[in-house]
Structures are given as structure tokens and as C-alpha cells.
Amino acid sequence: DTEVTQTPKHLVMGMTNKKSLKCEQHMGHRAMYWYKQKAKKPPELMFVYSYEKLSINESVPSRFSPECPNSSLLNLHLHALQPEDSALYLCASSQDPPGKYEQYFGPGTRLTVT
Amino acid sequence: AQTVTQSQPEMSVQEAETVTLSCTYDTSESDYYLFWYKQPPSRQMILVIRQEAYKQQNATENRFSVNFQKAAKSFSLKISDSQLGDAAMYFCAFSYDKVIFGPGTSLSVIP
């Protein structure tokens, strides 16, 4: 199984809502990543987890809160987002250490903040 | 800080022809990894090819090959016998402790 799944595919939320994005992989990877991607732009790294511990936080605003409950799951909790946070949110996983190996990407969650 | 530059925002190639996408990067590190990723429209990002900086031999994967020039900090991707399915955004990526993506090159394939 070489698949990374993400739910939901699409999400529309108001600025006062709380929602969560979910990501799952069953490849035995111990590094997992969250990226934000705007249209026609490259992915921007947000967070990196290594062995379920947060290893990189790219100065992301606190309205984004990551969580890695186990080695297969990665969540991104969203609260009080701004319209400029509308984007495609990509999850990826790889062997550890992060950065050395190919990353497998999920299809993304298309987030719209109204 | 590391940076990745792709000087060709858009390119096109005739089906069955060869095209080369350019990538340069800047780093003071000596041991790192380079990648080309492909993102087709509305589809998942997938790896095209990976190069380890300590290896002098250029990586190849079927119709895809790279020209890795470490001293020049250059990492170009050559696609041979282009196919319609090669149409996508191509991102060059540099990795030391984390991956940094270039701005991308949008490749169109003309039938």
C-alpha cells in the first residue's frame, strides 16, 4: 500500500469555526508532513513530525495546530482561520529521517475560509 | 538559507520530442538530496527522480534523466520521448534537513 489518504477532500468553514483535517498512511513511514499550497505555487512546508514528535514548525500561526496521535495518523486542527488561509493542504509521508527520502503525497484538502 | 530557482515558468514540447527543465540551487552544505516532483492538474504530486549529492553518476528513471552539476549547483531534468501524460507542473526540490521546493515549471505537451 503506497497511498496517503486525506479527508475531507473539500472543506468550507467560517472564520469562527473549528475543524480538523486528517491524514493517514500505512506504509510504515515515521516522518509525516503538512504543506500549504496556493494555486500555481509550490508547496510551503508547515510542520514535520518524526517518530510522532514535532521536529519542525515553520513559524506557522497558532490557529493551525498539528497532532500526531500515532505513527499512521496526522491531524491538523483549524481554529479562527482567515480568508488568506484558503488553500490546498497537502499531507505527505516518508521514511525517516525527514528530507532524505521520497515523500508520498496525499490528494490534499481544498480549504475555503469564508 | 537554501534557495531553489527554476527560471522557466512555462515550457512546451511536441509529443515524442525531448525537453529539458532547468533548476539551480544555492547551499553551503555538501551532503544533500535533490528531487524532481510532478504535479498533474488536480492530481497528486509524485516523485519523478531523486539524486544524492555525493553520487557523481546522474540518476535515470526510464524516459527521465538528470544532469547534476554539483560545482555549478545545477540539477536539470530531461524528458525523452515526451508523452501527453507528461503535461504537469514540475517542481525541483532541494533537501538537507527539510525539503525546499522551487517555484515550478508548467510543462505542456503538444500532440
Side-chain angles (χ1 to χ4, degrees):
Chain A
D1 186 359
T2 58
E3 191 179 44
V4 176
T5 59
Q6 290 187 244
T7 54
K9 285 187 168 53
H10 301 275
L11 178 62
V12 179
M13 60 185 290
M15 289 191 285
T16 58
N17 291 159
K18 285 185 182 181
K19 297 285 185 183
S20 297
L21 309 185
K22 297 186 184 302
C23 174
E24 189 167 7
Q25 58 89 13
H26 293 288
M27 293 177 277
H29 291 165
R30 302 312 295 268
M32 296 187 76
Y33 314 77
W34 279 116
Y35 291 90
K36 173 183 178 182
Q37 187 178 28
K38 292 278 200 178
K40 299 189 187 301
K41 297 291 187 182
E44 297 173 31
L45 183 65
M46 300 175 72
F47 303 103
V48 179
Y49 274 83
S50 175
Y51 284 86
E52 294 104 72
K53 293 194 186 319
L54 184 64
S55 63
I56 294 177
N57 176 341
E58 290 289 278
S59 302
V60 178
S62 60
R63 57 186 184 268
F64 295 90
S65 175
E67 178 196 19
C68 190
N70 61 54
S71 59
S72 300
L73 292 174
L74 188 64
N75 298 322
L76 186 62
H77 304 296
L78 314 173
H79 173 56
L81 294 192
Q82 303 297 309
E84 60 264 29
D85 297 322
S86 298
L88 182 67
Y89 287 83
L90 296 171
C91 173
S93 71
S94 75
Q95 297 178 56
D96 198 84
K100 181 175 180 179
Y101 298 100
E102 170 187 3
Q103 292 186 28
Y104 290 79
F105 285 83
T109 292
R110 178 76 59 188
L111 174 67
T112 303
V113 181
T114 60
Chain B
Q2 290 93 354
T3 58
V4 179
T5 301
Q6 294 178 249
S7 59
Q8 306 146 317
E10 296 180 353
M11 291 194 73
S12 61
V13 61
Q14 206 78 31
E15 198 175 0
E17 296 296 308
T18 296
V19 65
T20 299
L21 309 184
S22 301
C23 173
T24 58
Y25 57 93
D26 189 27
T27 184
S28 57
E29 305 295 340
S30 60
D31 192 14
Y32 49 85
Y33 303 87
L34 296 163
F35 306 85
W36 279 97
Y37 282 92
K38 168 186 176 182
Q39 189 175 34
S42 301
R43 291 180 60 191
Q44 275 163 265
M45 181 111 64
I46 58 171
L47 178 75
V48 175
I49 203 161
R50 172 179 178 263
Q51 175 80 42
E52 294 155 315
Y54 65 86
K55 287 188 177 178
Q56 292 189 344
Q57 187 173 4
N58 289 324
T60 63
E61 271 303 328
N62 301 316
R63 298 182 296 107
F64 299 88
S65 62
V66 297
N67 183 2
F68 173 48
Q69 302 288 329
K70 190 171 184 179
K73 296 179 184 174
S74 171
F75 183 60
S76 61
L77 175 70
K78 185 171 83 171
I79 306 174
S80 304
D81 185 25
S82 296
Q83 300 176 0
L84 295 177
D86 294 333
M89 183 71 86
Y90 286 81
F91 293 104
C92 177
F94 168 95
S95 180
Y96 177 63
D97 53 352
K98 61 185 180 184
V99 176
I100 299 169
F101 288 89
T105 296
S106 179
L107 179 67
S108 302
V109 180
I110 303 164

